[in-house]
Amino acid sequence: MSYKPISEIGEFGLIDRLAKITAPSTNQRPELVEGIGDDCAVWQLGESEVQVVTTDLLAEHVHFDLLTTPLHHLGSKVISVNVSDICAMNAMPDYALVSIAVPPKMPVEMVEELYKGINHAAEVYGLVIAGGDTSSSPSGLFISVSMTGTTTLELLTLRKGASPGDLACVTGTLGGSTAGLHLLQREKATMIEQMRNNEPYNKEVMAELQEYAEAIRSHLLPEARIDIIDFFSEKGIVPTAMIDISDGLAADLAHLCRRSGVGAKIDESKLPVLPEARAVAEEFQQDVFDWALTGGEDYQLLFTVPKSQYDLVTSHREITVIGEITEKEEGMMLTDIFGMTIDMADMKRGFDHFAE
C-alpha cells in the first residue's frame, strides 16, 4: 500500500479530509449550528443565544521564535489571536483554557513571564483564564488555547452569507506584521553572525529599529478588533459575512468567497497599508502590496455589508471599503495600482503548515 505525504494535499486538503471523517458525529447533536469550516464552531445554548468556540496550537520554531519574541508578548499574542477568531463571528469572548508543553529544564520564571502576558491580555479583553493543562516537551515550547464566546443567532456572522453587490471591507491596516517579521529576522541573523565571529553584540542596532516600532508591534503584539464588534453593536450593523485576516487577505478572502459561493473584485489602491510597512518593504526591496495581500498575521477583520450601509461603516475611521462581492463565475479579481486586472487565484496564498 502506498501512502500519500500530507505535503501533497497541503493543510487545507488535510482539513477537508478530516472533516469528512468526522462529519457523521455532527448528527448526534442537533444544536450544532456550524462545525468545521469557519473561524469558530457554533452551537445553540438557548432559544437565541449561541456559543462560539475556537482553538489554536502554537509551536516554537513554527509560529514563534524565542530569540525574537519576548515571553510576555507571546503570552499576550496567544490570547489575541483567539479573541480575533471570536470577533470574526461577531461575538464577545468569555472563557479560555490554556495548555502548555515545556522542556523540563526551562526556567520557571520564563513560564511565569509567559502567563503574565496571558493574564494581561485576558484583563484587556474581559475574559477569564479558567484552566488548562501542563505537560513536558522533549524539545521546544507548545501552547494550546481554547476559547469560548457568546452572541445571538440574529447577530452571528459566518464566512458564508456574502451576496453579489455587497461591499468588501477591512479594518485597520495591513502588511505591518510581515514588515515587523522581516525586521526581527534580520536582527536575529545579525546577532547570530556576530556570535559566530566572537564579536560583542552591538545593542545600538536595536535603537535603529525604534523608527519601525509600529511594524514590530504589529507582529509581536497584534490586537484583536473587539472595538469593531462594539461599533457594530452600537450602529446596528450585522455583516453578511466575516473572517479574521490570519493567513493573508488573498487567502482569507478566498475562504470567505468559497464558503459564500461568490466572487470578488478588489481595488489594490484602496488597501489600507501600514505606512511603516511601505518604508520597510522599500528597504528589503519588496512589494508592500504583496505583504498586504499574502503576508498574514495582521489579525484585522475582513467583512461584507450591503451597499446601503456604505456611509454607516465608513463613519468609522478604521474601516476601509476595498471592493465588492461579485458573482462566483467572475472569480476573485484584483485591479492593481497600474490598472491591470489580476486573477487572485494565481497569487501565492497564506502560510501552509505542510507545504514543502
Side-chain angles (χ1 to χ4, degrees):
M1 178 180 178
S2 61
Y3 292 94
K4 184 190 294 288
I6 297 174
S7 57
E8 282 190 19
I9 61 174
E11 179 182 0
F12 297 106
L14 176 63
I15 291 171
D16 287 342
R17 287 187 173 218
L18 300 182
K20 286 177 183 176
I21 293 171
T22 59
S25 72
T26 62
N27 298 323
Q28 301 180 92
R29 293 288 180 177
E31 60 269 28
L32 181 71
V33 176
E34 189 73 11
I36 296 173
D38 217 298
D39 288 273
C40 296
V42 187
W43 49 77
Q44 279 191 257
L45 292 178
E47 189 174 331
S48 179
E49 188 179 33
V50 296
Q51 186 168 66
V52 301
V53 184
T54 185
T55 189
D56 213 5
L57 174 64
L58 289 90
E60 187 177 352
H61 305 306
V62 176
H63 298 94
F64 60 88
D65 186 335
L66 291 181
L67 282 177
T68 59
T69 309
L71 281 161
H72 193 283
H73 290 43
L74 177 60
S76 178
K77 184 172 182 175
V78 299
I79 295 300
S80 290
V81 301
N82 281 271
V83 173
S84 187
D85 281 337
I86 300 289
C87 290
M89 313 302 288
N90 201 21
M92 299 295 275
D94 295 322
Y95 301 96
L97 301 176
V98 181
S99 298
I100 58 169
V102 296
K105 292 189 181 295
M106 176 176 277
V108 172
E109 291 79 7
M110 290 180 69
V111 180
E112 289 180 332
E113 191 63 19
L114 173 72
Y115 270 73
K116 286 175 183 176
I118 288 171
N119 186 68
H120 173 74
E123 290 180 344
V124 168
Y125 295 120
L127 62 93
V128 176
I129 306 301
D133 193 16
T134 57
S135 174
S136 64
S137 163
S139 176
L141 170 64
F142 295 83
I143 310 166
S144 175
V145 178
S146 297
M147 188 175 292
T148 67
T150 48
T151 187
T152 65
L153 279 172
E154 294 75 25
L155 298 178
L156 177 67
T157 305
L158 305 175
R159 294 179 181 182
K160 58 187 178 187
S163 300
D166 282 354
L167 301 173
C169 312
V170 294
T171 63
T173 57
L174 305 174
S177 180
T178 303
L181 178 61
H182 274 71
L183 290 166
L184 291 169
Q185 286 179 331
R186 183 176 67 183
E187 181 66 15
K188 174 187 171 183
T190 301
M191 179 175 66
I192 291 174
E193 185 64 26
Q194 289 177 341
M195 290 171 63
R196 282 177 179 160
N197 296 330
N198 293 316
E199 299 172 358
Y201 178 59
N202 183 7
K203 292 185 178 180
E204 292 181 5
V205 175
M206 284 299 290
E208 297 174 8
L209 296 178
Q210 289 302 312
E211 61 180 307
Y212 297 135
E214 190 61 30
I216 293 173
R217 180 180 176 82
S218 295
H219 181 69
L220 294 179
L221 284 172
E223 296 179 7
R225 299 313 303 260
I226 203 165
D227 60 312
I228 297 295
I229 305 308
D230 285 333
F231 171 74
F232 288 161
S233 177
E234 178 190 331
K235 298 294 183 181
I237 298 169
V238 181
T240 51
M242 186 155 55
I243 186 173
D244 83 322
I245 303 176
S246 54
D247 294 328
L249 177 63
D252 290 313
L253 177 62
H255 295 324
L256 186 149
C257 286
R258 181 164 67 98
R259 293 284 290 168
S260 291
V262 295
K265 183 168 61 177
I266 303 301
D267 185 344
E268 187 177 67
S269 67
K270 298 287 178 62
L271 297 184
V273 175
L274 181 72
E276 280 185 16
R278 295 178 185 273
V280 177
E282 247 180 70
E283 204 171 308
F284 282 84
Q285 298 184 318
Q286 299 281 326
D287 184 345
V288 73
F289 287 110
D290 282 346
W291 287 359
L293 288 162
T294 65
E297 288 213 326
D298 284 309
Y299 296 106
Q300 297 295 337
L301 296 173
L302 166 66
F303 65 94
T304 58
V305 292
K307 277 185 180 176
S308 59
Q309 294 189 336
Y310 177 88
D311 290 338
L312 202 55
V313 294
T314 56
S315 67
H316 194 295
R317 61 189 181 88
E318 289 203 25
I319 292 178
T320 305
V321 176
I322 60 169
E324 68 177 80
I325 300 302
T326 59
E327 298 288 348
K328 180 180 180 180
E329 295 72 26
E330 296 182 42
M332 279 175 46
M333 310 304 291
L334 175 79
T335 302
D336 71 12
I337 56 173
F338 303 107
M340 300 287 289
T341 300
I342 300 168
D343 189 342
M344 295 179 75
D346 297 332
M347 284 184 174
K348 169 196 165 188
R349 292 290 167 84
F351 180 75
D352 187 322
H353 283 277
F354 302 104
E356 291 183 329

